[in-house]
């Protein structure tokens, strides 16, 4: 039997996106420009994994407009990769496209 991968959030693309989160325990809300398909972030208060209830695709240079500190210790993607997930894809203004770290490494 073929098992389908569980979809834990709305966005199912391979690139980073913008996510909206709400902790079911403490009702704390936050937004993150470092949201990924089927990957949660820990709530700072409760320390439980929370999946986004809404996600939007980042377009082109939107990636460079995201401000604020990215807390690797709360990010499910960083934990699974073993390095900061913001390094995975960087927008190249000269190329007018996203440069994928995996392509550069491969």
């Amino acid at each position: 039997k073929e098992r389908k991968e569980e979809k834990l959030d709305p966005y199912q693309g391979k690139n980073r996106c913008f996510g909206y989160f709400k902790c079911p325990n403490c009702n704390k809300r936050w937004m993150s420009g470092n949201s990924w398909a089927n990957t949660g972030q820990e709530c700072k208060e409760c320390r439980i994994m929370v999946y986004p209830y809404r996600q939007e695709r980042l377009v082109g240079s939107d990636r460079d407009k995201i401000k604020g500190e990215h807390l690797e210790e709360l990010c499910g993607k960083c934990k699974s990769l073993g390095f900061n997930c913001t390094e995975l894809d960087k927008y190249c203004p000269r190329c007018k496209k996203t440069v994928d770290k995996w392509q550069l490494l491969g």
Side-chain angles (χ1 to χ4, degrees), residues 34-53:
N34 296 295
S35 183
W36 300 84
N38 304 317
T39 307
Q41 295 183 2
E42 273 186 40
C43 173
K44 282 184 184 180
E45 304 297 321
C46 303
R47 302 305 258 195
I48 64 165
M49 191 60 67
V50 178
Y51 291 90
Y53 64 86

Side-chain angles (χ1 to χ4, degrees), residues 57-78:
R57 258 183 101 187
L58 291 173
V59 180
S61 62
D62 285 352
R63 289 169 175 80
D64 296 330
K65 295 176 188 170
I66 296 167
K67 304 283 187 235
E69 184 181 6
H70 180 59
L71 303 174
E72 293 178 55
E73 68 274 10
L74 301 178
C75 177
K77 188 72 167 181
C78 290

Side-chain angles (χ1 to χ4, degrees), residues 22-30 43-46 48:
K22 181 183 176 192
C23 177
N25 278 1
C26 68
N27 290 321
K28 178 177 175 51
R29 293 176 180 266
W30 70 93
C43 173
K44 282 184 184 180
E45 304 297 321
C46 303
I48 64 165

Side-chain angles (χ1 to χ4, degrees), residues 1 3-7 19 25 28-29 31 34 40 42 51-52 57 65-66 74 85-87 89 91 99 103:
K1 253 183 180 178
R3 186 176 164 214
K4 290 185 179 182
E5 187 176 321
E6 187 177 3
K7 295 177 183 177
N25 278 1
K28 178 177 175 51
R29 293 176 180 266
M31 297 177 283
N34 296 295
E42 273 186 40
Y51 291 90
R57 258 183 101 187
K65 295 176 188 170
I66 296 167
L74 301 178
C85 71
T86 62
E87 295 301 316
D89 63 332
Y91 183 73
V99 179
Q103 291 172 344

Side-chain angles (χ1 to χ4, degrees), residues 79-97:
K79 287 179 180 182
S80 69
L81 292 169
F83 60 87
N84 192 313
C85 71
T86 62
E87 295 301 316
L88 269 182
D89 63 332
K90 296 284 186 185
Y91 183 73
C92 174
R94 184 176 46 86
C95 312
K96 295 187 178 172
K97 68 178 186 176

